[in-house]
């Protein structure tokens, strides 16, 4: 029964990625998929892994758990990704992998990076945590690198609560990933029940009025490890692997995934339409906006904007019941201190630090974009 559902789920995913089902591997979270991929690529001590200096802390965690060294590259403030030239300059004889992130769904210079990496015998991994269902140069996000990973955590293109999967494009990695996966453990009954409870809260209790209160409560309780959070307390306060990290996706999540991936086509259309409405309005007002040239392929999980006084904007959003996001509220979201634990020196990455202080994300999967335009007028 479980196996059949797993195959159905992989088939649904594979259709989007234009990939083969048996090249898809399911995990408890996207970060676990990244860890498995890096391990399958043989990443270990003395290896360097290049990654954006504007990401989620769980990305450098996966590198550090393998005793390798994260090598950060600052971002461009239009694409929120590193530039090809800067990545090239960060390569050393120890570089084993380059991670290309499609931040908010935006990819940048990815064809140049993969061609260069191939030439240098360096592996590439596409971090598509934000990008499932989107395209870049007519190819689905996830199809550019040796491998890709995706997240189906809350607020991702489609959700399983927590969850993720990997896609292998380089067939040479299939066998080693299968070997790595033999160490995967099953989620506990408590974890599965906890997820079910969160599904209920999310679907039945979160609305425009309760959003801000429940989101603050959720973040507080998960930081204290009192409920199943997107990240456990250990993951944001240390670079040591927490217990029970290397887990499989459960049947509970697979069931949710099958249901939600089938709703995705409608959401993808809405996101794109709303993002275009925001851009047109912001252009009219002469304010910063995502360039129109990004629209052809991008799936707009979130609409990123840089705001001068972010705290004030959040305060107003709460007052006007607008569900505003703060990805990423720091170069290593959501970490705010002790950056040296992740071998990160903020002084070296001014654009990432600036973005972490000024970014806001407008919601794109909403029925009334007019409410956002009204808000932008304030
Ligand atoms: C850019 C990026 N990469 C990786 C991840 C990890 O995904 P997950 O939470 O499924 O482990 C996230 C999480 O939000 C992310 O934003």
């Amino acid at each position: 029964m479980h196996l059949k559902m797993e195959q159905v789920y992989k088939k649904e995913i594979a259709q989007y990625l234009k990939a083969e089902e048996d090249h898809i591997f399911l995990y408890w979270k996207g970060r676990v998929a990244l860890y498995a991929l890096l391990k399958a690529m043989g990443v270990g001590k003395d290896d360097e892994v290049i990654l954006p200096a504007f990401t989620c802390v769980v990305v450098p965690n996966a590198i550090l758990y393998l005793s390798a060294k994260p090598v950060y590259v600052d971002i461009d403030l239009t694409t929120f990704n590193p530039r090809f030239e800067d990545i090239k300059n960060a390569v050393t004889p120890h570089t084993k992998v380059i991670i290309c992130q499609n931040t908010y769904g935006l990819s940048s210079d990815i064809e140049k990076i993969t061609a260069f990496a191939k030439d240098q015998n360096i592996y590439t991994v596409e971090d598509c945590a934000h990008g499932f269902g989107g395209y870049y140069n007519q190819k689905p996000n996830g199809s550019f690198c040796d491998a890709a990973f995706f997240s189906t955590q809350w607020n991702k293109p489609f959700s399983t609560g927590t969850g993720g999967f990997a896609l292998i494009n380089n067939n040479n990695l299939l066998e080693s990933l299968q070997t790595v996966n033999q160490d995967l453990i099953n989620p506990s009954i408590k974890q599965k029940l906890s997820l079910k409870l969160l599904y209920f809260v999310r679907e039945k209790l979160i609305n425009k009025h309760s959003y801000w209160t429940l989101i603050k409560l959720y973040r507080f309780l998960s930081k204290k490890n009192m409920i199943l959070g997107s990240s456990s307390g250990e993951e944001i306060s240390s670079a040591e692997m927490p217990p029970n990290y290397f887990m499989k996706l459960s049947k509970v999540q697979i069931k949710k995934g099958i249901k939600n991936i089938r709703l995705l086509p409608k959401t993808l259309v809405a996101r794109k339409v709303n993002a275009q409405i925001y851009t047109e309005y912001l252009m009219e007002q002469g304010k910063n906006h995502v360039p129109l040239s990004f629209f052809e392929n991008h799936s707009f999980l979130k609409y990123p904007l840089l705001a001068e006084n972010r705290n004030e904007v959040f305060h107003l959003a709460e007052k006007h019941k607008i569900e505003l996001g703060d990805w990423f509220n720091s170069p290593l979201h959501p970490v705010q201190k002790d950056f040296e634990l992740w071998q990160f020196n903020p002084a070296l990455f001014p654009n990432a630090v600036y973005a972490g202080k000024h970014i806001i994300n407008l919601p794109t999967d909403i029925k009334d974009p007019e409410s956002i335009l009204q808000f932008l007028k304030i």
Side-chain angles (χ1 to χ4, degrees), residues 150 160 290:
F150 299 80
T160 57
V290 179

Side-chain angles (χ1 to χ4, degrees), residues 29-31 56 58-59 101 127 129-130 149 151 153 156 163 328:
K29 291 182 180 179
R31 68 202 70 178
C56 185
V58 301
V59 175
Q101 180 172 292
D127 176 346
H130 301 179
F149 74 96
S151 169
Q153 180 238 23
K156 293 301 191 307
F328 296 125

Side-chain angles (χ1 to χ4, degrees), residues 124-151:
T124 48
V125 172
E126 201 175 343
D127 176 346
C128 298
H130 301 179
F132 184 78
Y135 278 68
Y136 181 72
N137 287 349
Q138 279 79 49
K139 280 175 70 180
N141 289 337
S143 48
F144 291 89
C145 294
D146 291 300
F149 74 96
F150 299 80
S151 169

Side-chain angles (χ1 to χ4, degrees), residues 182-218:
Q182 284 170 4
D183 292 335
L184 279 165
I185 55 171
N186 284 309
S188 66
I189 291 175
K190 189 173 157 211
Q191 279 162 319
K192 289 187 273 189
L193 284 176
S194 198
L195 256 184
K196 281 191 171 179
L197 174 70
L198 288 171
Y199 291 156
F200 175 80
V201 172
R202 184 90 181 179
E203 280 158 27
K204 308 282 181 215
L205 304 183
I206 288 209
N207 55 46
K208 210 168 148 168
H209 303 283
S210 62
Y211 173 81
W212 284 95
T213 313
L214 290 178
I215 215 83
K216 282 181 194 166
L217 183 66
Y218 174 69

Side-chain angles (χ1 to χ4, degrees), residues 25-208:
F25 299 86
L26 309 177
Y27 300 89
W28 175 250
K29 291 182 180 179
R31 68 202 70 178
V32 182
L34 169 64
Y35 172 84
L37 288 174
L38 296 177
K39 200 165 179 185
M41 289 172 173
V43 169
K45 197 168 170 333
D46 298 327
D47 289 328
E48 293 177 2
V49 178
I50 293 181
L51 73 164
F54 189 58
T55 188
C56 185
V57 69
V58 301
V59 175
N61 272 346
I63 300 166
L64 289 161
Y65 296 167
L66 290 162
S67 308
K69 180 178 176 212
V71 175
Y72 301 94
V73 178
D74 205 3
I75 55 161
D76 169 86
L77 285 174
T78 316
T79 62
F80 300 100
N81 280 315
R83 293 194 194 93
F84 170 58
E85 287 302 322
D86 295 333
I87 288 184
K88 217 167 125 183
N89 290 337
V91 168
T92 75
H94 296 287
T95 308
K96 183 99 176 185
V97 180
I98 299 174
I99 298 177
C100 306
Q101 180 172 292
N102 46 42
T103 319
Y104 312 120
L106 302 170
S107 296
S108 133
D109 287 349
I110 194 159
E111 283 153 331
K112 278 194 215 164
I113 298 166
T114 48
F116 165 79
K118 205 167 182 179
D119 194 49
Q120 304 282 317
N121 268 328
I122 297 170
Y123 283 122
T124 48
V125 172
E126 201 175 343
D127 176 346
C128 298
H130 301 179
F132 184 78
Y135 278 68
Y136 181 72
N137 287 349
Q138 279 79 49
K139 280 175 70 180
N141 289 337
S143 48
F144 291 89
C145 294
D146 291 300
F149 74 96
F150 299 80
S151 169
T152 52
Q153 180 238 23
W154 312 110
N155 298 319
K156 293 301 191 307
F158 72 93
S159 173
T160 57
T162 71
F165 49 93
L167 166 69
I168 294 286
N169 295 318
N170 176 345
N171 289 351
N172 296 334
L173 291 167
L174 277 174
E175 211 179 304
S176 49
L177 187 62
Q178 276 153 357
T179 307
V180 167
N181 287 347
Q182 284 170 4
D183 292 335
L184 279 165
I185 55 171
N186 284 309
S188 66
I189 291 175
K190 189 173 157 211
Q191 279 162 319
K192 289 187 273 189
L193 284 176
S194 198
L195 256 184
K196 281 191 171 179
L197 174 70
L198 288 171
Y199 291 156
F200 175 80
V201 172
R202 184 90 181 179
E203 280 158 27
K204 308 282 181 215
L205 304 183
I206 288 209
N207 55 46
K208 210 168 148 168

